[in-house]
Coordinates of all heavy atoms in Angstrom, one line a residue:
M1 N -63.5 102.2 3.6 CA -64.2 102.1 4.9 C -64.1 100.6 5.4 O -64.1 99.7 4.6 CB -65.7 102.4 4.7 CG -66.4 102.7 5.9 SD -68.0 103.2 5.6 CE -68.8 102.9 7.1
R2 N -63.6 100.7 6.7 CA -63.4 99.3 7.2 C -64.1 99.3 8.7 O -63.9 100.3 9.3 CB -62.0 98.9 7.2 CG -61.1 99.7 8.1 CD -59.6 99.0 8.0 NE -58.9 99.4 9.1 CZ -57.9 100.4 9.1 NH1 -57.6 100.9 7.8 NH2 -57.3 100.8 10.1
Q3 N -64.5 98.2 9.0 CA -65.1 98.0 10.4 C -64.0 97.1 11.1 O -63.7 96.0 10.8 CB -66.4 97.3 10.2 CG -67.2 97.1 11.5 CD -68.1 98.4 11.7 OE1 -68.4 99.0 10.8 NE2 -68.3 98.6 13.0
E4 N -63.7 97.6 12.3 CA -62.8 96.8 13.2 C -63.7 95.8 14.0 O -64.8 96.0 14.2 CB -62.0 97.8 14.0 CG -61.0 98.6 13.2 CD -59.9 98.0 12.7 OE1 -59.3 97.1 13.3 OE2 -59.7 98.1 11.5
S5 N -63.0 94.8 14.7 CA -63.7 93.8 15.5 C -64.2 94.5 16.7 O -65.2 94.0 17.3 CB -62.6 92.7 15.8 OG -61.6 93.3 16.6
D6 N -63.7 95.7 17.2 CA -64.3 96.2 18.4 C -65.4 97.1 18.1 O -66.0 97.9 18.8 CB -63.2 97.1 19.1 CG -62.7 98.3 18.2 OD1 -63.1 98.5 17.1 OD2 -61.8 99.0 18.8
G7 N -66.0 97.2 16.9 CA -67.1 98.0 16.4 C -66.7 99.3 15.8 O -67.5 100.0 15.3
S8 N -65.4 99.6 15.9 CA -65.1 101.1 15.4 C -65.0 101.1 13.8 O -64.7 100.0 13.2 CB -63.7 101.5 15.9 OG -62.7 100.6 15.7
T9 N -65.3 102.2 13.3 CA -65.2 102.3 11.8 C -64.2 103.3 11.3 O -64.1 104.4 12.0 CB -66.6 102.7 11.2 OG1 -67.5 101.8 11.7 CG2 -66.7 102.8 9.8
F10 N -63.4 102.9 10.5 CA -62.4 103.8 9.8 C -62.7 104.0 8.3 O -63.1 103.1 7.6 CB -61.1 103.2 10.0 CG -60.5 103.1 11.4 CD1 -60.8 102.0 12.1 CD2 -59.8 104.2 11.9 CE1 -60.3 101.9 13.4 CE2 -59.5 104.1 13.3 CZ -59.6 102.8 14.0
I11 N -62.4 105.4 8.0 CA -62.5 105.7 6.3 C -61.1 106.0 6.0 O -60.5 106.8 6.7 CB -63.5 106.9 6.3 CG1 -64.9 106.5 6.6 CG2 -63.4 107.2 4.8 CD1 -65.9 107.5 6.5
E12 N -60.6 105.3 5.1 CA -59.2 105.5 4.6 C -59.3 106.1 3.3 O -59.9 105.5 2.4 CB -58.5 104.2 4.7 CG -57.0 104.4 4.4 CD -56.4 102.9 4.5 OE1 -56.7 102.1 3.7 OE2 -55.5 102.9 5.4
N13 N -58.5 107.2 3.0 CA -58.5 107.8 1.7 C -57.0 107.4 1.2 O -56.0 107.6 1.8 CB -58.5 109.2 1.7 CG -59.9 109.8 2.2 OD1 -60.8 109.2 1.7 ND2 -60.0 110.8 3.1
T14 N -57.0 107.0 -0.1 CA -55.8 106.7 -0.8 C -55.9 107.3 -2.2 O -56.9 107.6 -2.7 CB -55.5 105.0 -0.9 OG1 -56.6 104.6 -1.8 CG2 -55.5 104.4 0.4
Q15 N -54.6 107.6 -2.7 CA -54.5 108.3 -3.8 C -53.2 108.0 -4.5 O -52.1 108.1 -3.7 CB -54.7 109.8 -3.8 CG -54.6 110.6 -5.1 CD -54.7 112.1 -4.7 OE1 -54.8 112.6 -3.6 NE2 -54.6 112.9 -5.8
S16 N -53.2 107.5 -5.7 CA -51.9 107.3 -6.5 C -51.5 108.7 -7.1 O -52.2 109.3 -7.7 CB -52.1 106.2 -7.5 OG -50.9 106.2 -8.3
F17 N -50.2 109.1 -6.8 CA -49.7 110.4 -7.4 C -48.4 110.2 -7.9 O -47.6 111.1 -8.0 CB -49.9 111.5 -6.3 CG -49.4 111.2 -5.0 CD1 -47.9 111.5 -4.6 CD2 -50.2 110.8 -3.9 CE1 -47.7 111.2 -3.3 CE2 -49.8 110.6 -2.7 CZ -48.5 110.7 -2.5
D18 N -48.1 109.1 -8.5 CA -46.9 108.9 -9.2 C -46.7 109.9 -10.4 O -45.7 110.6 -10.7 CB -46.7 107.4 -9.8 CG -46.6 106.5 -8.8 OD1 -46.2 106.7 -7.5 OD2 -47.0 105.3 -8.9
T19 N -47.7 110.1 -11.1 CA -47.7 111.0 -12.4 C -47.6 112.4 -11.8 O -46.8 113.1 -12.4 CB -49.1 111.0 -13.1 OG1 -49.2 109.6 -13.5 CG2 -49.0 111.8 -14.3
L20 N -48.1 112.8 -10.7 CA -47.9 114.1 -10.2 C -46.5 114.4 -9.7 O -45.9 115.5 -10.0 CB -48.8 114.4 -8.8 CG -48.8 115.8 -8.2 CD1 -49.3 116.8 -9.2 CD2 -49.7 115.7 -7.0
M21 N -45.8 113.3 -9.1 CA -44.5 113.5 -8.7 C -43.5 113.6 -10.0 O -42.6 114.3 -9.9 CB -44.1 112.2 -7.8 CG -44.7 112.1 -6.5 SD -44.3 113.4 -5.4 CE -45.7 114.5 -5.5
K22 N -44.0 112.9 -11.0 CA -43.1 113.1 -12.3 C -43.3 114.5 -12.8 O -42.3 115.1 -13.3 CB -43.5 112.0 -13.4 CG -43.2 110.6 -13.0 CD -43.6 109.7 -14.0 CE -43.3 108.3 -13.7 NZ -43.9 107.4 -14.6
L23 N -44.5 115.0 -12.8 CA -44.7 116.5 -13.3 C -44.0 117.4 -12.3 O -43.3 118.4 -12.9 CB -46.2 116.7 -13.3 CG -46.6 118.2 -13.5 CD1 -46.3 118.5 -14.9 CD2 -48.1 118.3 -13.2
N24 N -44.0 117.2 -11.1 CA -43.2 118.1 -10.1 C -41.8 118.1 -10.4 O -41.1 119.2 -10.4 CB -43.4 117.7 -8.7 CG -44.8 118.1 -8.2 OD1 -45.6 118.8 -8.8 ND2 -45.2 117.7 -7.0
K25 N -41.2 116.9 -10.7 CA -39.8 116.8 -11.1 C -39.4 117.5 -12.2 O -38.4 118.2 -12.4 CB -39.3 115.2 -11.2 CG -38.1 115.0 -11.4 CD -37.1 115.3 -10.2 CE -35.7 114.9 -10.4 NZ -34.9 115.3 -9.4
Q26 N -40.3 117.3 -13.3 CA -40.1 118.1 -14.7 C -40.2 119.5 -14.4 O -39.3 120.3 -14.9 CB -41.1 117.5 -15.7 CG -40.9 118.2 -17.1 CD -39.6 117.8 -17.7 OE1 -39.1 116.7 -17.5 NE2 -38.8 118.8 -18.0
M27 N -41.2 120.1 -13.7 CA -41.4 121.5 -13.4 C -40.2 122.0 -12.6 O -39.7 123.1 -13.0 CB -42.6 121.8 -12.7 CG -43.9 121.5 -13.6 SD -45.4 121.6 -12.6 CE -45.5 123.4 -12.3
S28 N -39.6 121.3 -11.7 CA -38.4 121.6 -10.9 C -37.2 121.7 -11.7 O -36.4 122.6 -11.6 CB -38.3 120.6 -9.8 OG -37.2 121.1 -8.9
N29 N -37.1 120.7 -12.7 CA -35.9 120.6 -13.5 C -36.0 121.9 -14.6 O -34.9 122.4 -15.0 CB -35.9 119.4 -14.4 CG -35.4 118.3 -13.3 OD1 -34.8 118.4 -12.5 ND2 -35.8 117.1 -14.0
D30 N -37.1 122.3 -15.0 CA -37.4 123.3 -15.9 C -37.3 124.8 -15.3 O -37.0 125.7 -16.0 CB -38.7 123.3 -16.5 CG -38.9 122.2 -17.5 OD1 -37.9 121.5 -17.9 OD2 -40.1 121.8 -17.8
W31 N -37.3 124.8 -13.9 CA -37.3 126.1 -13.2 C -35.7 126.8 -13.4 O -34.9 125.9 -13.3 CB -37.5 125.9 -11.8 CG -37.5 127.2 -10.9 CD1 -38.5 128.1 -10.9 CD2 -36.4 127.7 -10.2 NE1 -38.2 129.1 -9.9 CE2 -36.7 128.9 -9.7 CE3 -35.1 127.2 -9.9 CZ2 -36.0 129.6 -8.8 CZ3 -34.3 127.9 -9.1 CH2 -34.8 129.1 -8.6
R32 N -35.7 128.0 -13.6 CA -34.5 128.7 -13.6 C -34.5 129.9 -12.8 O -35.5 130.7 -12.9 CB -34.1 129.0 -15.0 CG -33.9 127.9 -16.1 CD -32.6 127.2 -15.8 NE -32.6 126.0 -16.6 CZ -32.8 124.8 -16.2 NH1 -33.3 124.5 -14.9 NH2 -32.7 123.8 -17.1
Q33 N -33.4 130.2 -12.0 CA -33.5 131.4 -11.1 C -33.5 132.6 -12.0 O -32.9 132.7 -13.0 CB -32.3 131.4 -10.3 CG -32.3 132.5 -9.3 CD -31.1 132.5 -8.3 OE1 -30.5 131.4 -8.2 NE2 -31.0 133.5 -7.4
G34 N -34.4 133.6 -11.6 CA -34.6 134.9 -12.4 C -35.4 134.8 -13.6 O -35.5 135.7 -14.4
Q35 N -36.2 133.7 -13.7 CA -36.9 133.6 -15.0 C -38.1 134.5 -15.0 O -38.7 134.7 -16.0 CB -37.3 132.0 -15.1 CG -38.4 131.6 -14.2 CD -38.6 130.2 -14.3 OE1 -38.1 129.4 -15.2 NE2 -39.7 129.7 -13.7
L36 N -38.4 135.1 -13.9 CA -39.6 136.0 -13.8 C -39.2 137.5 -13.9 O -40.0 138.3 -14.0 CB -40.4 135.8 -12.5 CG -41.0 134.5 -12.3 CD1 -41.8 134.4 -11.1 CD2 -42.0 134.1 -13.5
T37 N -37.8 137.6 -13.8 CA -37.3 139.0 -13.9 C -37.6 139.7 -15.3 O -37.5 139.0 -16.3 CB -35.7 139.0 -13.8 OG1 -35.4 138.3 -12.5 CG2 -35.3 140.4 -13.7
G38 N -38.2 140.9 -15.3 CA -38.5 141.6 -16.4 C -39.8 141.2 -17.0 O -40.1 141.4 -18.2
T39 N -40.7 140.4 -16.3 CA -42.0 140.0 -16.9 C -43.0 140.6 -15.9 O -42.8 141.1 -14.9 CB -42.0 138.4 -16.8 OG1 -42.2 138.0 -15.5 CG2 -40.8 137.8 -17.4
Q40 N -44.2 140.4 -16.4 CA -45.4 140.8 -15.7 C -46.0 139.7 -14.8 O -47.0 139.9 -14.2 CB -46.5 141.4 -16.6 CG -46.1 142.6 -17.3 CD -45.9 143.7 -16.3 OE1 -46.7 144.0 -15.4 NE2 -44.7 144.5 -16.3
K41 N -45.3 138.7 -14.8 CA -45.6 137.5 -13.8 C -45.3 137.7 -12.5 O -44.1 137.8 -12.2 CB -45.0 136.2 -14.4 CG -45.4 135.8 -15.8 CD -44.8 134.5 -16.2 CE -45.1 134.0 -17.6 NZ -44.3 132.9 -18.0
H42 N -46.2 137.9 -11.6 CA -46.0 138.2 -10.3 C -46.3 137.0 -9.3 O -46.2 137.2 -8.1 CB -46.9 139.5 -9.8 CG -46.5 140.7 -10.7 ND1 -45.4 141.3 -10.4 CD2 -47.1 141.3 -11.6 CE1 -45.3 142.4 -11.4 NE2 -46.5 142.3 -12.1
V43 N -46.6 136.0 -9.8 CA -47.0 134.8 -9.0 C -46.2 133.6 -9.6 O -46.1 133.4 -10.8 CB -48.5 134.5 -9.1 CG1 -48.9 133.3 -8.3 CG2 -49.4 135.7 -8.6
Q44 N -45.5 132.9 -8.8 CA -44.8 131.8 -9.1 C -45.4 130.5 -8.5 O -45.7 130.5 -7.2 CB -43.4 131.9 -8.7 CG -42.4 130.8 -9.0 CD -41.0 130.9 -8.8 OE1 -40.7 132.1 -8.7 NE2 -40.2 129.9 -8.8
H45 N -45.5 129.4 -9.4 CA -46.1 128.1 -9.1 C -44.9 127.5 -8.1 O -43.9 127.3 -8.5 CB -46.3 127.4 -10.2 CG -47.0 126.0 -10.0 ND1 -48.2 125.9 -10.6 CD2 -46.9 125.0 -9.1 CE1 -48.7 124.7 -10.3 NE2 -47.9 124.2 -9.3
V46 N -45.2 127.1 -7.0 CA -44.3 126.7 -6.0 C -44.3 125.2 -5.6 O -43.4 124.5 -5.2 CB -44.1 127.5 -4.6 CG1 -43.6 128.9 -5.0 CG2 -45.4 127.4 -3.9
A47 N -45.5 124.6 -5.7 CA -45.7 123.2 -5.3 C -47.1 122.7 -5.9 O -48.0 123.4 -6.2 CB -45.8 123.2 -3.7
E48 N -47.0 121.4 -6.2 CA -48.3 120.6 -6.4 C -48.4 119.6 -5.3 O -47.5 118.7 -5.0 CB -48.1 119.9 -7.6 CG -48.4 120.7 -8.9 CD -49.9 121.1 -9.1 OE1 -50.7 120.4 -8.7 OE2 -50.2 122.3 -9.6
I49 N -49.5 119.6 -4.5 CA -49.7 118.8 -3.3 C -50.9 117.8 -3.6 O -51.9 118.5 -4.0 CB -49.9 119.5 -2.0 CG1 -48.7 120.4 -1.9 CG2 -50.1 118.7 -0.9 CD1 -48.8 121.4 -0.6
P50 N -50.8 116.6 -3.6 CA -52.0 115.7 -3.7 C -53.1 116.0 -2.9 O -52.8 116.5 -1.6 CB -51.4 114.2 -3.4 CG -50.0 114.4 -3.6 CD -49.6 115.8 -3.3
N51 N -54.3 115.7 -3.2 CA -55.6 116.1 -2.4 C -55.5 115.5 -1.1 O -55.8 116.1 0.0 CB -56.8 115.6 -3.1 CG -57.1 116.4 -4.4 OD1 -56.6 117.6 -4.4 ND2 -57.9 115.9 -5.3
V52 N -55.2 114.1 -0.9 CA -55.1 113.5 0.4 C -54.1 114.1 1.3 O -54.3 114.2 2.4 CB -54.9 112.0 0.3 CG1 -56.1 111.3 -0.4 CG2 -53.6 111.5 -0.4
V53 N -53.0 114.5 0.8 CA -51.9 115.2 1.6 C -52.5 116.5 2.1 O -52.3 116.9 3.1 CB -50.6 115.3 0.8 CG1 -49.6 115.9 1.6 CG2 -50.1 113.7 0.5
Y54 N -53.0 117.3 1.0 CA -53.5 118.6 1.3 C -54.5 118.6 2.4 O -54.5 119.4 3.5 CB -54.0 119.3 0.1 CG -54.6 120.6 0.3 CD1 -53.8 121.7 0.4 CD2 -56.0 120.8 0.3 CE1 -54.3 122.9 0.7 CE2 -56.6 122.1 0.5 CZ -55.7 123.1 0.7 OH -56.3 124.5 1.0
H55 N -55.5 117.8 2.3 CA -56.5 117.6 3.3 C -56.0 117.2 4.7 O -56.4 117.7 5.8 CB -57.7 116.7 2.9 CG -58.5 117.3 1.9 ND1 -59.2 118.4 2.1 CD2 -58.6 117.2 0.5 CE1 -59.8 118.7 1.0 NE2 -59.4 117.9 0.0
H56 N -54.9 116.3 4.7 CA -54.3 115.9 6.0 C -53.7 117.2 6.7 O -53.6 117.5 7.8 CB -53.3 114.9 5.8 CG -52.4 114.7 7.0 ND1 -52.9 114.0 8.1 CD2 -51.1 115.0 7.2 CE1 -52.0 113.9 8.9 NE2 -50.8 114.5 8.5
L57 N -53.1 118.0 5.8 CA -52.3 119.2 6.1 C -53.3 120.2 6.8 O -53.0 121.0 7.6 CB -51.5 119.8 5.1 CG -50.2 119.1 4.7 CD1 -49.6 119.6 3.4 CD2 -49.3 119.0 5.8
L58 N -54.4 120.4 6.1 CA -55.5 121.3 6.6 C -55.9 121.0 8.0 O -56.1 121.8 8.9 CB -56.7 121.2 5.6 CG -56.7 122.1 4.4 CD1 -58.0 121.8 3.6 CD2 -56.5 123.4 4.6
K59 N -56.0 119.6 8.3 CA -56.3 119.2 9.7 C -55.2 119.4 10.7 O -55.5 119.7 11.8 CB -56.6 117.6 9.6 CG -58.0 117.3 9.0 CD -58.2 115.8 9.0 CE -59.4 115.4 8.2 NZ -59.5 114.0 8.2
T60 N -54.0 119.3 10.2 CA -52.9 119.4 11.2 C -52.3 120.8 11.3 O -52.0 121.3 12.5 CB -51.8 118.5 10.7 OG1 -51.3 118.7 9.5 CG2 -52.1 117.0 10.8
L61 N -52.4 121.6 10.2 CA -51.8 122.8 10.1 C -52.8 124.0 10.1 O -52.4 125.1 10.4 CB -50.8 123.0 9.0 CG -49.7 122.0 8.8 CD1 -48.8 122.4 7.7 CD2 -48.8 122.1 10.1
G62 N -54.0 123.7 9.6 CA -55.0 124.7 9.4 C -54.8 125.2 8.1 O -54.0 124.8 7.4
K63 N -55.7 126.3 7.7 CA -55.6 126.8 6.4 C -54.2 127.6 6.1 O -53.7 128.2 7.1 CB -56.7 127.9 6.2 CG -58.1 127.2 6.2 CD -59.1 128.3 6.0 CE -60.5 127.6 5.9 NZ -61.5 128.7 5.8
P64 N -53.7 127.6 4.8 CA -52.5 128.3 4.7 C -52.5 129.7 5.0 O -51.6 130.3 5.5 CB -52.3 128.1 3.1 CG -53.0 126.9 2.8 CD -54.2 126.8 3.6
S65 N -53.7 130.4 4.8 CA -53.8 131.9 5.1 C -53.8 132.1 6.6 O -53.4 133.1 7.0 CB -55.0 132.4 4.5 OG -56.2 131.8 5.0
E66 N -54.2 131.1 7.5 CA -54.2 131.2 8.9 C -52.9 130.8 9.5 O -52.7 131.2 10.6 CB -55.3 130.4 9.4 CG -56.7 130.7 9.0 CD -57.8 129.7 9.4 OE1 -57.4 128.7 9.8 OE2 -59.0 130.1 9.1
N67 N -52.0 130.0 8.9 CA -50.8 129.5 9.4 C -49.7 129.4 8.3 O -49.2 128.4 8.1 CB -51.1 128.2 10.1 CG -50.0 127.7 11.0 OD1 -49.0 128.5 11.2 ND2 -50.2 126.5 11.7
P68 N -49.4 130.6 7.7 CA -48.5 130.6 6.7 C -47.0 130.0 7.0 O -46.3 129.4 6.2 CB -48.4 132.0 6.1 CG -49.0 132.8 7.2 CD -49.8 131.9 8.0
K69 N -46.6 130.3 8.2 CA -45.3 129.8 8.7 C -45.2 128.4 8.7 O -44.2 127.8 8.3 CB -44.9 130.5 10.0 CG -44.5 131.9 10.0 CD -44.2 132.5 11.4 CE -43.9 134.0 11.3 NZ -43.5 134.4 12.7
A70 N -46.1 127.7 9.3 CA -46.1 126.3 9.3 C -46.2 125.7 7.9 O -45.5 124.7 7.6 CB -47.3 125.7 10.1
W71 N -47.0 126.2 7.0 CA -47.1 125.7 5.5 C -45.7 125.9 4.9 O -45.2 125.0 4.2 CB -48.1 126.4 4.9 CG -49.5 125.8 5.2 CD1 -50.3 126.1 6.3 CD2 -50.1 124.8 4.4 NE1 -51.4 125.4 6.2 CE2 -51.4 124.5 5.0 CE3 -49.9 124.2 3.3 CZ2 -52.3 123.6 4.6 CZ3 -50.8 123.2 2.8 CH2 -52.0 123.0 3.4
K72 N -45.1 127.1 5.1 CA -43.8 127.3 4.5 C -42.8 126.4 5.1 O -41.9 125.9 4.3 CB -43.3 128.7 4.7 CG -44.1 129.8 3.9 CD -43.6 131.2 4.2 CE -44.3 132.2 3.4 NZ -43.9 133.6 3.7
A73 N -42.8 126.1 6.4 CA -41.8 125.2 7.0 C -42.0 123.8 6.4 O -41.1 123.1 6.1 CB -42.0 125.2 8.5
W74 N -43.3 123.4 6.2 CA -43.6 122.1 5.6 C -43.0 121.9 4.4 O -42.4 120.9 3.9 CB -45.1 121.8 5.7 CG -45.4 120.4 5.3 CD1 -45.5 119.3 6.1 CD2 -45.7 119.9 4.0 NE1 -45.8 118.3 5.3 CE2 -46.0 118.5 4.1 CE3 -45.8 120.5 2.7 CZ2 -46.2 117.8 3.0 CZ3 -46.2 119.7 1.7 CH2 -46.3 118.5 1.8
L75 N -43.2 123.0 3.4 CA -42.9 122.9 2.0 C -41.3 123.1 2.0 O -40.7 122.4 1.1 CB -43.5 124.1 1.2 CG -44.9 123.8 0.7 CD1 -45.5 125.1 0.1 CD2 -44.9 122.7 -0.3
N76 N -40.8 123.7 2.9 CA -39.3 123.9 2.8 C -38.4 122.7 3.4 O -37.3 122.7 3.1 CB -38.8 125.1 3.6 CG -39.2 126.4 2.7 OD1 -39.1 126.4 1.6 ND2 -39.4 127.5 3.4
S77 N -39.2 121.9 4.0 CA -38.5 120.7 4.6 C -38.0 119.6 3.5 O -38.6 119.7 2.4 CB -39.6 119.9 5.4 OG -39.0 118.7 5.8
N78 N -36.8 119.3 3.7 CA -36.2 118.3 2.7 C -37.0 117.1 2.5 O -37.0 116.5 1.4 CB -34.8 117.8 3.1 CG -33.7 118.9 2.8 OD1 -34.0 119.7 1.8 ND2 -32.6 118.8 3.4
E79 N -37.8 116.6 3.5 CA -38.7 115.4 3.4 C -39.8 115.7 2.3 O -40.4 114.8 1.8 CB -39.3 115.1 4.7 CG -38.4 114.6 5.7 CD -39.0 114.4 6.9 OE1 -40.4 114.6 7.1 OE2 -38.4 114.0 8.0
N80 N -40.2 116.9 2.1 CA -41.3 117.2 1.2 C -40.8 118.0 -0.1 O -41.6 118.6 -0.8 CB -42.3 118.1 1.9 CG -42.7 117.5 3.3 OD1 -43.0 116.3 3.2 ND2 -42.7 118.3 4.3
R81 N -39.4 117.8 -0.4 CA -38.9 118.5 -1.6 C -39.6 118.0 -3.0 O -39.7 118.8 -3.9 CB -37.4 118.4 -1.7 CG -37.0 117.1 -1.9 CD -35.4 117.0 -1.9 NE -34.9 115.6 -1.8 CZ -34.5 115.1 -0.7 NH1 -34.4 115.7 0.4 NH2 -34.1 113.8 -0.7
D82 N -40.1 116.8 -2.9 CA -40.7 116.3 -4.2 C -42.0 117.0 -4.4 O -42.4 116.8 -5.6 CB -41.0 114.7 -4.0 CG -39.6 113.9 -4.0 OD1 -38.6 114.5 -4.5 OD2 -39.7 112.8 -3.4
F83 N -42.6 117.7 -3.6 CA -43.9 118.4 -3.8 C -43.5 119.8 -4.4 O -44.4 120.4 -5.1 CB -44.7 118.6 -2.5 CG -45.2 117.3 -2.0 CD1 -44.8 116.8 -0.9 CD2 -46.1 116.5 -2.8 CE1 -45.2 115.7 -0.3 CE2 -46.6 115.3 -2.2 CZ -46.0 114.9 -1.0
R84 N -42.3 120.3 -4.2 CA -42.0 121.7 -4.8 C -41.8 121.6 -6.3 O -41.4 120.6 -6.8 CB -40.8 122.2 -4.1 CG -41.1 122.4 -2.7 CD -39.8 123.2 -1.9 NE -38.6 122.6 -2.0 CZ -38.0 122.0 -1.0 NH1 -38.6 121.9 0.1 NH2 -36.8 121.3 -1.1
T85 N -42.1 122.7 -7.0 CA -42.0 122.7 -8.4 C -40.9 123.7 -8.9 O -40.8 124.0 -10.0 CB -43.3 123.1 -9.0 OG1 -43.7 124.4 -8.5 CG2 -44.4 122.1 -8.8
G86 N -40.1 124.3 -8.0 CA -39.1 125.3 -8.3 C -38.0 125.2 -7.3 O -38.1 124.6 -6.3
G87 N -36.9 125.9 -7.7 CA -35.8 125.9 -6.7 C -35.9 126.9 -5.6 O -36.8 127.7 -5.4
G88 N -35.1 126.8 -4.6 CA -34.9 127.6 -3.5 C -36.0 127.3 -2.5 O -36.7 126.3 -2.5
N89 N -36.1 128.3 -1.5 CA -37.0 128.2 -0.5 C -38.2 129.2 -0.6 O -37.9 130.2 -1.2 CB -36.3 128.4 0.9 CG -35.4 127.2 1.3 OD1 -35.6 126.0 1.0 ND2 -34.3 127.6 1.9
L90 N -39.3 129.0 0.2 CA -40.3 130.0 0.1 C -40.0 131.1 1.2 O -39.5 130.9 2.1 CB -41.6 129.4 0.6 CG -42.1 128.2 -0.4 CD1 -43.4 127.7 0.3 CD2 -42.3 128.7 -1.8

């Protein structure tokens, strides 16, 4: 929290997520196309997003269930590939 000279107050959230990015990279490297074929696994882990980023996205895009196209576009963007945990696009 910081107070500006004009009297305005700002709350700033920060989070270190180097470890999360390493985990995402490892999960992405371990992913193989077709690995769910012939299994009973019907849900695939697609991304790990840090809390501060997730809450920012909630403010800008809304809930994933309310705006799935925008969330998919955000996750499929090359700028955000480090958050994905598997290959391909959503």
Side-chain angles (χ1 to χ4, degrees):
M1 187 169 164
R2 72 175 194 256
Q3 187 87 26
E4 296 293 315
S5 60
D6 65 357
S8 58
T9 303
F10 291 93
I11 297 175
E12 182 177 67
N13 291 320
T14 60
Q15 179 180 2
S16 173
F17 46 88
D18 295 335
T19 304
L20 181 65
M21 293 293 100
K22 288 178 186 176
L23 175 64
N24 284 358
K25 181 71 171 171
Q26 184 61 45
M27 291 172 76
S28 184
N29 289 341
D30 292 343
W31 180 85
R32 299 289 176 258
Q33 185 172 354
Q35 68 186 9
L36 298 179
T37 304
T39 70
Q40 292 298 311
K41 297 179 182 177
H42 300 288
V43 177
Q44 181 173 339
H45 193 123
V46 296
E48 279 290 330
I49 303 171
N51 290 336
V52 294
V53 175
Y54 178 75
H55 288 288
H56 171 73
L57 291 172
L58 282 177
K59 288 180 185 176
T60 58
L61 303 178
K63 293 180 182 179
S65 61
E66 295 170 354
N67 196 359
K69 287 183 180 182
W71 281 82
K72 285 180 184 180
W74 187 87
L75 279 170
N76 286 328
S77 168
N78 276 340
E79 292 177 1
N80 304 314
R81 68 178 168 263
D82 292 337
F83 297 112
R84 295 192 298 259
T85 58
N89 292 325
L90 301 180

